[in-house]
Amino acid sequence: MADVGGWIWERNLRPFLELLSHYVGYGFDATDWETVVLAVEATDDERPDGWYSYPLVGEHRQVEVRLARAVGGDELIVAVNGTLTPELEVRADTLLAAFSAG
């Protein structure tokens, strides 16, 4: 099991999840997005029970994305867990870097 973590701007959550889903072979759709949006509203990165987990089960891999809003900010703390190949680990890390910029 590998774990890649960091943060992204909340406004970048949808493209982050869509691209990560593509890399694992999962078809992330509008229903997925609605589910995540509603759940993320109640998260809090300072509470151990304040995180939301969403599985992305695809043709190639299965990962779990853990999300929590940073208290007092527009950031989301993100952790991607699963049996990540070296390539998927780099892609997840790159997505985190890209979606935390600017």
Side-chain angles (χ1 to χ4, degrees):
M1 291 287 271
D3 183 29
V4 176
W7 67 275
I8 61 173
W9 295 111
E10 189 168 354
R11 67 181 177 268
N12 293 330
L13 180 57
R14 187 172 190 161
F16 172 84
L17 291 173
E18 287 172 343
L19 284 169
L20 184 61
S21 294
H22 172 75
Y23 294 142
V24 300
Y26 178 73
F28 192 86
D29 62 19
T31 302
D32 292 297
W33 177 239
E34 291 170 10
T35 301
V36 170
V37 167
L38 289 173
V40 166
E41 286 181 25
T43 62
D44 178 342
D45 72 324
E46 293 183 355
R47 288 190 356 246
D49 65 343
W51 289 69
Y52 175 67
S53 295
Y54 197 76
L56 301 175
V57 181
E59 300 170 16
H60 315 296
R61 293 271 163 232
Q62 175 176 338
V63 299
E64 176 184 63
V65 180
R66 297 186 65 236
L67 306 162
R69 282 184 159 166
V71 174
D74 295 325
E75 305 91 356
L76 286 174
I77 311 306
V78 180
V80 180
N81 305 307
T83 51
L84 305 177
T85 63
E87 178 184 2
L88 185 55
E89 193 170 340
V90 168
R91 285 181 170 182
D93 191 52
T94 302
L95 288 174
L96 288 167
F99 290 124
S100 64

